[in-house]
Amino acid sequence: GNIRVDVGENDTIKVLRALRDRGSKQSVMSVLSQVEGPFAMIYYERRTKTLFFAKDPEGRRSLLLATSSSSSSSSSSSSSS
């Protein structure tokens, strides 16, 4: 089934729950492809030591990343209408 994120819901919590509860054969990208609605997130999979960046295909949430030689930071925002 699809992961529906309604306006006002916490997208990160819903997606992280789906990632946590996924079967061992279901990939991170497979879970993220099921998300409906606005979202933006960064997810680190410890098992594979992989960092995933994802946002909704319509670009309703921004995902910003800044890096330097000693640190990195990220930000996500949404526009209100």
Side-chain angles (χ1 to χ4, degrees), residues 40 42 53 55 61-67 72-77:
I42 299 171
F53 296 83
K55 58 185 273 182
R61 299 246 172 122
S62 64
L63 182 59
L64 309 170
L65 178 67
T67 61
S72 64
S73 60
S74 62
S75 174
S76 173
S77 64

Side-chain angles (χ1 to χ4, degrees), residues 1-2 22 29 40-42 45 51 58 65 68 70 74 76:
N2 289 335
R22 76 185 192 276
M29 294 307 295
M41 67 179 294
I42 299 171
E45 187 175 55
L51 190 61
E58 294 180 27
L65 178 67
S68 70
S70 62
S74 62
S76 173

Side-chain angles (χ1 to χ4, degrees), residues 48-59:
T48 61
K49 298 180 180 175
T50 305
L51 190 61
F52 294 89
F53 296 83
K55 58 185 273 182
D56 67 276
E58 294 180 27

